[in-house]
Amino acid sequence: MNPEEAVKAFVELGAATLIPMHYGTFRLGFEPLHEPPQRLLAAAREHGLEQKVLVMTEGKPVVL
């Protein structure tokens, strides 16, 4: 599923937090590795959901 589809699924499921993963690990296409989370945040912003997206970074603890 692409970033835009992930946001659509998030909305349809009525979830509380969208935590993207499985990006940047290895190249799946020709886009830059940093592009998928940027597209996800842009799609979430279009739906007014940007504050519900948690893009985690390695080494930074998060409590949910």
Side-chain angles (χ1 to χ4, degrees):
M1 131 178 343
N2 67 37
E4 295 79 16
E5 292 168 338
V7 171
K8 183 179 178 186
F10 174 76
V11 170
E12 290 176 359
L13 290 169
T17 305
L18 194 163
I19 303 174
M21 55 188 70
H22 304 298
Y23 68 89
T25 305
F26 52 88
R27 194 168 297 282
L28 293 173
F30 295 108
E31 75 273 354
L33 290 176
H34 64 276
E35 183 181 297
Q38 290 175 342
R39 286 176 46 199
L40 181 93
L41 289 170
R45 195 175 308 114
E46 289 176 12
H47 287 87
L49 301 170
E50 189 175 16
Q51 75 282 356
K52 293 187 173 190
V53 177
L54 174 59
V55 179
M56 299 191 317
T57 56
E58 186 176 342
K60 183 178 178 184
V62 175
V63 177
L64 301 173

